[in-house]
Amino acid sequence: MAPRALWTGNVTFGLVNVPVRIYSAVHEHKLQFHLVHEKDDSPIGYQKICKVEDKPVSNDEIVKAYEFKKGEFVQLTDEDFEAVQVEGQHTIDLQDFVPYEDIDPVFFAHSYLVGPQDGGEKTYALLMRAMEKSGLVGIGKFVMRSRQYLGCLRVRDGALSLEQLHFADEIDEPTGILPDKMPSVASRELDMALTLIEGFSGTWEPEKYEDTYTDALREVVKAKRRGKDVHELREPEDEEAPPDLMEALRLSIEQSQKSRRSAKKPAARKKKRATAKR
């Protein structure tokens, strides 16, 4: 099955337009856990409660609000969000080309794969080959899921990749976490530390680092299954769920037959009493 595109639009540089689709480039190790009631294995549900009325509220009565001052909000509708037209809404306009190594890793947030749309393969190949030859990466802004991001477009493994970047004012400086004056370090201690680092130095091999915590959790799950410590999720009975059409017809016929029989019995008793009087 082909991956589902998260974003469809265009990459532009100068007068060149490249129609592309963006896909997620990573999948995280996540075990999905459900919350259940310990004593009867029934699922735990959540309701959105109005804190003033102390009553559940349906989704169509809920809107987003921005608190501009303590306790004071303005409400925003879907139309308000749609009315915001900014650069990057449907295009990634590459504004600069810079060396990849000049970007501090703290700016990187998430990775995406970028593939061509149908009919855009030639311009896609042109952009990829030109960037590959230049050794530079493209910087531009794009909008995804109602947020604007800074992006770094680069060539990776024979395809284009988009790195979502933080904006500069989103990066926190290390102020307040360091002492006013750093302690001095003796040259002998520094030499020993350098020797230790050199003893561990090598090449970057990402395959050698494994998620041992998730693996250990999977083993716990397997052990519980082997020990038959398995619980079946108890779904709540939906009393309001309508029966299917055939079942509804069958029940209707049964009820109508019962009603007719009940109506006949009093009539039969009246007729019997009248006969006895004669």
Side-chain angles (χ1 to χ4, degrees), residues 189-237:
E189 294 172 333
L190 182 59
D191 290 340
M192 292 180 65
L194 286 171
T195 301
L196 182 62
I197 290 175
E198 289 171 359
F200 284 95
S201 62
T203 57
W204 166 239
E205 299 176 18
E207 296 81 8
K208 68 184 288 187
Y209 307 99
E210 298 178 354
D211 182 2
T212 55
Y213 177 76
T214 302
D215 291 341
L217 273 179
R218 287 196 178 101
E219 289 302 319
V220 170
V221 172
K222 289 179 182 178
K224 283 182 170 288
R225 291 184 64 183
R226 286 194 297 266
K228 304 301 182 182
D229 187 11
V230 177
H231 301 255
E232 289 188 5
L233 188 66
R234 286 185 56 189
E235 293 292 347
E237 294 182 3

Side-chain angles (χ1 to χ4, degrees), residues 11 36 41 46 78 87 96 119 172-174 178-179 185 200 213 223 258 269 277:
V11 174
V36 298
D41 293 318
Y46 293 94
D78 292 339
E87 54 185 317
D96 299 288
D172 295 327
E173 297 295 331
L178 299 176
V185 177
F200 284 95
Y213 177 76
K258 288 179 181 178
R269 283 196 295 269
K277 288 179 181 179

